[in-house]
Each structure stands twice: as structure tokens, then as C-alpha cells.
């Protein structure tokens, strides 16, 4: 296991008016924090249990953690993954030595298949978060944060099933230091706020988020007991916030982070320091960096648009020489970069002497975006913005 680095973030520090540091679990073995808990759980199995092998269910990070840990300990592993699991995670899990089966469309559905496999074969189920040994393994992230940043006042943690948040909370509270602990969920897969309000794990109403690593329908009983007793607050972030956070990590920190792994950064970008009640130096945990390159391209585009740096407009212009040149001239005068131009004479509602132009532009931010739109309007163009 690696002791992952802690990197300062100037842009987030300025945004939050607190020193912000990034705990880079995206640089951990297999690309996430998951091997910590998986290794601790498997290492504690009896010789008899090891003979039957282990089985797990995961969208990818826990799968790789279990496969890697089992391989290191000389134990056979089987992993059930959702049908839509990212290809790089699927390939990596197999490369670490696991036998992989695709079942269901969510981690919860894959977990049902894994439990059935365990009952039929005697393999030990290595739950992604709902076991004391797994939580204890994730607690090592908290111990490292306390060692690397002794003055830490707030720790912000991406949260799915709750194992990482629970482990960090246990380590921090056991140290006796006063540290504010904040969990972060994707608002379109948020079981924790309602669960904490009702005092027991409650299933999420929906699981529709790009952050598959924290898209867990039901918090675990073991993590819930820790989080309910030890964590100060769990907040949620939008899909736009997740994509903007991923973009910031890539551009400013030079780190590849998956949407789930960027959830803590998303909270710091979209919530004020007062809303999060930040105290002292802040540590944002980057929980994972395993992302499909195709998804990365899509999310970065989404992030550029959410940040006001990507503008797509539909403009109707006269179908005569010079019409397109005049349109592009207005764009050029305002300093926007043309990414793509689609010129169509067959769009609906066009007159015989009209063409429609779908124009994709790169702008410098929201103010520049509004400036470009204002210039097009002042030049007499009828513009429709495509969100």
C-alpha cells in the first residue's frame, strides 16, 4: 500500500479563504483507496476461509482492490460487476487476477449475484463497505491525513456506502483532535441525508449520476453507526459541480480524477465556506482516479460548458455569399475560438433563402460568454443557445 501524497491547492484555497489540501488517493495502488479496506479484510481471513476464495461486487474500484489484495495474498477471487461498468475498470480487474462476471445494472444488483455465488460456493463475500475490517482498512487514510497535516481543521470526503467516511471519522475521533468531518454525495444518488435524518439506513430514491463510484443505493449498517455518531454533516453536489470539479483537478492540479473522486472538490467549489462551516486548514480527499477516457472527454466537455467556457448556438443566416463570413467575423472580433461549425439548409422552419448554423465556441468564462452573445444580438442575428 502506498502512503499517498497531500498536495496544496491554491485555487481552492483562494475560493474557500482557507488553506486547502488534496489527499491523492487517486494515486493509490489500483487508482483508489479501496485496496486499504480490501487487503485488511482478506488478510484477516482464516486459512480455511482462504481456501474457498473470495467474491465481491463493485462498479470497478472495489473490484480492483479485491483482485489486487487477493492476488498479493495468493487467494482466488471472483468479482461481479454491473453490465455498464467502465471498460478500463473491467480490464484492470481481470489483469489483477480476478474472474469477472457482469450482472445487473447497478452495484446493488451485482451484490445480489455475489451473495448468491458466496452461498453456492463457500467463497467469502468481501463487502465493499459494510464490514468492520473494511472500515478499519479505510481508516488508514485518516491516520495519514493527521500525520501529513497535523493542523487539519476540516476533512471533506466523497461518500457512497460510507466505508471511507466512517473509517476516516473513526481514526480522527480516536485521535482526540477536534476536526470537522463532512461527507459529500451526488445529489442524484443521495441516500445519506435522508438516512441520517431518519436515524437508520434508507434506500436512495434514484441512482442517476456520472459518479458511479459513490452511486450506492443503501448505506451499510456498519458505516452508518460510525457516520451517524461521528460525522458532522453530509452534503450533496450536482452533476454540473462534479464535472467542473473534475475539470479543475485536471487543469489546475494536473490530476486525473473520476467523478466520484472529485465530489469533495465539487463541494468546495459550489458551497460557501459558511455553508460547509469550514474550520482551519481543509483536506479534500480525492478518492479515486479510474475513469474511462471516453467518459473523461464527455465530462470535461460538460465541465467546460458548466463553467461558461463552452458555448453552442444555433443561428439563422441569409443563404447568400458572405453570410457565414459575417457571423464568424462577429465571433472573431470578440475573441472567441471556433471549435466546430455545422452548416445546414435542411433544418425545420427555414425559409428558402435561409440556412442554419450550429456554432460551437470556446470562451474565457461566463462574462466572455455573455459578451459574445450580446455582440451577436447587436449584429442582428437570431441566436438560440443550446444548453
Amino acid at each position: 500500500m502506498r502512503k499517498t501524497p497531500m498536495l496544496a491547492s491554491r485555487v481552492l484555497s483562494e475560493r474557500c479563504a482557507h488553506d486547502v489540501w488534496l489527499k491523492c488517493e487517486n494515486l493509490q495502488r489500483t487508482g483508489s483507496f479501496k485496496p486499504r479496506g480490501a487487503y485488511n479484510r482478506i488478510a484477516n481471513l482464516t486459512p480455511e476461509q482462504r481456501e474457498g476464495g473470495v467474491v465481491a461486487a463493485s462498479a470497478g474500484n472495489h473490484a480492483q482492490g479485491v483482485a489486487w489484495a487477493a492476488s498479493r495474498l495468493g487467494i482466488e477471487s471472483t468479482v461481479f460487476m454491473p453490465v455498464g461498468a467502465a471498460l478500463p475498470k473491467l480490464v484492470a480487474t481481470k489483469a489483477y487476477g480476478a474472474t469477472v462476471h457482469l450482472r445487473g445494472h447497478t452495484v446493488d444488483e451485482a451484490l445480489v449475484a455475489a451473495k448468491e455465488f458466496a452461498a453456492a460456493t463457500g467463497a467469502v463475500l468481501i463487502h465493499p463497505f459494510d464490514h468492520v475490517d473494511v472500515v478499519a482498512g479505510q481508516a488508514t487514510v485518516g491516520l495519514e491525513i493527521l500525520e501529513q497535516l497535523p493542523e487539519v481543521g476540516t476533512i471533506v470526503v466523497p461518500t457512497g456506502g460510507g466505508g471511507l467516511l466512517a473509517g476516516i471519522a473513526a481514526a480522527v475521533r480516536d485521535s482526540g483532535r477536534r476536526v470537522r468531518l463532512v461527507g459529500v454525495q451526488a445529489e442524484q444518488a443521495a441516500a445519506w441525508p435522508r438516512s441520517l435524518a431518519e436515524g437508520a439506513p434508507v434506500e436512495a430514491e434514484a441512482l442517476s449520476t456520472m459518479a458511479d463510484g459513490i452511486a450506492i443505493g443503501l448505506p451499510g449498517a456498519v458505516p452508518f453507526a460510525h457516520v451517524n455518531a461521528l460525522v458532522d454533516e453530509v452534503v450533496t453536489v450536482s452533476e454540473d459541480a462534479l464535472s467542473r470539479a473534475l475539470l479543475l483537478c485536471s487543469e489546475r492540479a494536473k490530476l486525473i480524477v473520476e467523478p466520484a473522486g472529485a465530489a469533495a472538490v465539487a463541494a468546495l467549489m459550489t458551497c460557501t465556506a459558511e455553508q460547509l462551516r469550514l474550520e482551519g486548514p481543509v483536506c479534500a480527499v480525492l478518492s479515486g482516479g479510474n475513469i474511462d477516457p471516453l467518459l473523461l472527454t464527455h465530462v470535461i466537455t460538460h465541465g467546460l460548458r458548466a463553467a461558461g467556457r463552452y458555448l453552442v448556438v444555433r443561428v439563422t443566416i441569409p443563404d447568400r455569399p458572405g453570410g457565414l463570413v459575417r457571423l464568424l467575423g462577429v465571433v472573431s472580433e470578440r475573441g472567441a475560438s471556433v471549435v466546430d461549425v455545422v452548416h445546414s439548409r435542411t433544418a425545420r422552419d427555414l425559409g428558402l433563402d435561409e440556412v442554419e448554423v450550429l456554432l460551437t465556441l470556446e470562451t474565457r468564462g461566463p462574462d466572455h460568454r455573455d459578451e459574445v452573445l450580446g455582440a451577436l444580438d447587436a449584429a442582428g442575428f437570431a441566436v438560440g443557445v443550446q444548453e
Side-chain angles (χ1 to χ4, degrees), residues 12 75 106 116 232 244 261 284 320 344 361:
L12 288 175
I75 300 171
T106 66
E116 293 173 350
D232 296 289
R244 289 172 58 200
R320 56 175 176 262
S344 174
L361 307 173

Side-chain angles (χ1 to χ4, degrees), residues 39-51 53-54 73 75 124-126 131 133:
Y39 189 92
N40 193 55
R41 172 76 171 100
I42 297 172
N44 284 327
L45 296 179
T46 66
E48 292 75 21
Q49 289 174 317
R50 294 187 181 200
E51 288 181 4
V54 297
L73 293 166
I75 300 171
V124 176
L125 177 68
I126 307 300
H131 195 281
D133 287 344

Side-chain angles (χ1 to χ4, degrees), residues 135-136 138-144 146 165-177 181 226 230:
V135 172
Q138 319 306 18
T140 58
V141 177
L143 295 176
E144 288 183 16
L146 294 175
L165 180 59
I168 291 175
V172 169
R173 298 301 182 226
D174 189 60
S175 74
R177 301 187 216 181
L181 296 168
H226 288 75
L230 305 176

Side-chain angles (χ1 to χ4, degrees), residues 14-326:
E14 292 175 352
R15 167 72 176 78
C16 299
H18 286 258
D19 289 339
V20 177
W21 296 76
L22 306 176
K23 177 60 172 169
C24 301
E25 284 297 289
N26 59 310
L27 302 179
Q28 182 56 265
R29 293 187 184 278
T30 78
S32 85
F33 70 95
K34 287 293 189 178
R36 297 175 183 266
Y39 189 92
N40 193 55
R41 172 76 171 100
I42 297 172
N44 284 327
L45 296 179
T46 66
E48 292 75 21
Q49 289 174 317
R50 294 187 181 200
E51 288 181 4
V54 297
V55 61
S58 167
N61 287 344
H62 179 61
Q64 293 174 72
V66 168
W68 176 82
S71 176
R72 291 293 296 266
L73 293 166
I75 300 171
E76 184 178 337
S77 63
T78 301
V79 175
F80 288 83
M81 303 176 73
V83 172
L87 182 59
K89 295 181 179 182
L90 174 63
V91 172
T93 302
K94 292 180 178 179
Y96 287 123
T99 299
V100 177
H101 301 283
L102 301 179
R103 295 287 189 280
H105 296 281
T106 66
V107 174
D108 298 277
E109 292 175 359
L111 184 57
V112 171
K115 288 178 178 178
E116 293 173 350
F117 181 89
T121 65
V124 176
L125 177 68
I126 307 300
H127 198 282
F129 49 83
D130 202 13
H131 195 281
V132 291
D133 287 344
V134 173
V135 172
Q138 319 306 18
T140 58
V141 177
L143 295 176
E144 288 183 16
I145 293 172
L146 294 175
E147 178 186 344
Q148 294 168 308
L149 191 64
E151 67 276 23
V152 63
T154 306
I155 302 176
V156 188
V157 187
T159 305
L164 178 60
L165 180 59
I168 291 175
V172 169
R173 298 301 182 226
D174 189 60
S175 74
R177 301 187 216 181
R178 172 55 202 164
V179 178
R180 180 167 170 76
L181 296 168
V182 179
V184 185
Q185 285 210 287
E187 63 184 25
Q188 293 183 200
W192 277 99
R194 184 181 168 197
S195 296
L196 292 171
E198 297 194 14
V202 177
E203 193 161 359
E205 295 180 356
L207 292 175
S208 178
T209 175
M210 69 178 78
D212 62 344
I214 54 175
I216 303 298
L218 186 67
V222 172
F224 183 85
H226 288 75
V227 172
N228 192 41
L230 305 176
V231 172
D232 296 289
E233 186 176 10
V234 175
V235 301
T236 62
V237 292
S238 68
E239 298 298 288
D240 277 358
L242 289 167
S243 61
R244 289 172 58 200
L246 188 148
L247 180 62
L248 182 140
C249 289
S250 175
E251 280 193 322
R252 303 302 296 273
K254 313 307 177 189
L255 294 168
I256 299 299
V257 182
E258 62 189 278
V265 171
L268 294 176
M269 290 177 65
T270 56
C271 301
T272 66
E274 291 72 27
Q275 287 173 324
L276 294 174
R277 288 180 284 172
L278 299 179
E279 300 174 8
V282 178
C283 173
V285 178
L286 306 180
S287 57
N290 294 313
I291 183 169
D292 187 320
L294 294 176
L295 176 61
L296 178 61
T297 301
H298 174 72
V299 173
I300 286 177
T301 300
H302 187 87
L304 287 168
R305 187 173 297 177
R309 292 170 50 191
Y310 222 52
L311 174 61
V312 182
V313 294
R314 291 185 181 276
V315 186
T316 300
I317 63 174
D319 188 13
R320 56 175 176 262
L324 181 59
V325 171
R326 179 169 171 264

